[in-house]
Amino acid sequence: MTTCPWDDWNHILKIDPDKELPEGVTYGDLCATGTDAIEVGGTMGITEENMEAVVDACAEHDVPLYQEPSSPDVVIDNRALEGYLIPSVFNAGSPFWITGAHKEWVRIDSNLDWDRTWTEAYIVMNPEADVATYTEADCDLDADDVAAYAQIAERMFGQEIVYVEYSGTFGDEEIVEAAGEATEEATLFYGGGIHDYDSAATMARHADVIVVGDLAHDEGVEAVRQTVEAANDA
Ligand code: 1GP
């Protein structure tokens, strides 16, 4: 496999353009937390306008910026972006979220910038999360199932990123550990419910990169900074 930017990452901050920041917190403050990259994305209420607003606000700060679009119609063309991380939900109930939306995007966008486009092989694990209902994901998976999904993502489908996604809730450590053991070359992302140093440290033991989302919107800068510290200590 080729060298990828995320080979050296420990921490990603995911900013949801549909959610507010806490009082007094700016996007610049979040960019300065020491996170390795910012992903701009969310599941509900995403528009080109709110995407552009967040990307523009982060653009002047020195942290790599990626868009994670939830559907083809919110992909923005902004040179401040290093690129696009495109989810494919391996345990989706509908093929639309595995390859269908992707096919539509490629069909309607004749100028797709392949050099800046990568995929993330998602395994969605929290049935309560919007992403799970939206994609009709089968979240009734045990550690062996998740390990097998991680393995097929890497070995059969050549995915460079496997993403165990517990969005909104803290995941099962054994399951993340199993995904970590199942992947060799792929980079394992973990996201969901990381809220302090200890929760970040727990998942950073098994995942290559931890993704922190809601904390930025709910708590702000100092809490995010602690998760960065844990990710770098692991
Ligand atoms: C969401 O994995 C990320 O896509 C992070 O999850 O918002 O629960 O931190 P949280």
Side-chain angles (χ1 to χ4, degrees):
M1 281 188 192
T2 49
T3 313
C4 303
W6 42 87
D7 290 345
D8 297 326
W9 296 351
N10 298 320
H11 187 283
I12 294 172
L13 184 59
K14 192 180 288 191
I15 298 180
D16 187 331
D18 191 42
K19 293 183 182 162
E20 303 285 322
L21 297 186
E23 182 86 29
V25 173
T26 66
Y27 290 110
D29 296 335
L30 292 172
C31 292
T33 51
T35 189
D36 294 305
I38 295 206
E39 264 189 281
V40 187
T43 306
M44 309 302 276
I46 307 299
T47 62
E48 281 185 62
E49 291 69 33
N50 61 19
M51 272 283 181
E52 288 278 9
V54 174
V55 171
D56 287 343
C58 294
E60 58 204 73
H61 305 280
D62 191 23
V63 59
L65 274 178
Y66 291 80
Q67 187 188 4
E68 187 187 55
S70 50
S71 67
D73 51 309
V74 300
V75 177
I76 59 168
D77 183 9
N78 189 317
R79 296 313 296 178
L81 292 169
E82 298 288 320
Y84 305 91
L85 294 172
I86 311 296
S88 174
V89 179
F90 272 51
N91 59 330
S94 158
F96 186 75
W97 300 111
I98 309 171
T99 54
H102 316 68
K103 182 271 286 176
E104 269 312 287
W105 182 32
V106 172
R107 192 177 66 78
I108 60 182
D109 188 345
S110 50
N111 288 318
L112 208 139
D113 187 351
W114 288 112
D115 290 339
R116 293 197 300 147
T117 303
W118 297 273
T119 49
E120 299 165 314
Y122 263 69
I123 308 163
V124 170
M125 293 300 292
N126 174 13
E128 308 291 322
D130 286 338
V131 63
T133 43
Y134 208 55
T135 65
E136 301 160 51
D138 171 14
C139 304
D140 188 16
L141 304 176
D142 64 19
D144 289 343
D145 293 317
V146 172
Y149 267 126
Q151 234 173 66
I152 62 156
E154 177 184 297
R155 298 286 180 170
M156 291 183 172
F157 294 90
Q159 295 295 290
E160 289 164 350
I161 298 169
V162 174
Y163 191 142
V164 177
E165 169 68 297
Y166 276 90
S167 181
T169 193
F170 192 63
D172 181 330
E173 189 183 346
E174 278 178 27
I175 284 186
V176 182
E177 183 177 17
E181 285 170 0
T183 43
E184 283 188 16
E185 308 247 333
T187 301
L188 181 65
F189 287 14
Y190 167 82
I194 291 177
H195 54 277
D196 58 9
Y197 184 97
D198 288 344
S199 55
T202 298
M203 290 310 184
R205 273 199 287 278
H206 308 297
D208 299 303
V209 179
I210 56 166
V211 184
V212 170
D214 284 349
L215 193 66
H217 299 281
D218 297 342
E219 299 292 334
V221 176
E222 189 42 43
V224 172
R225 208 174 276 135
Q226 284 179 28
T227 66
V228 172
E229 199 182 316
N232 292 336
D233 287 348

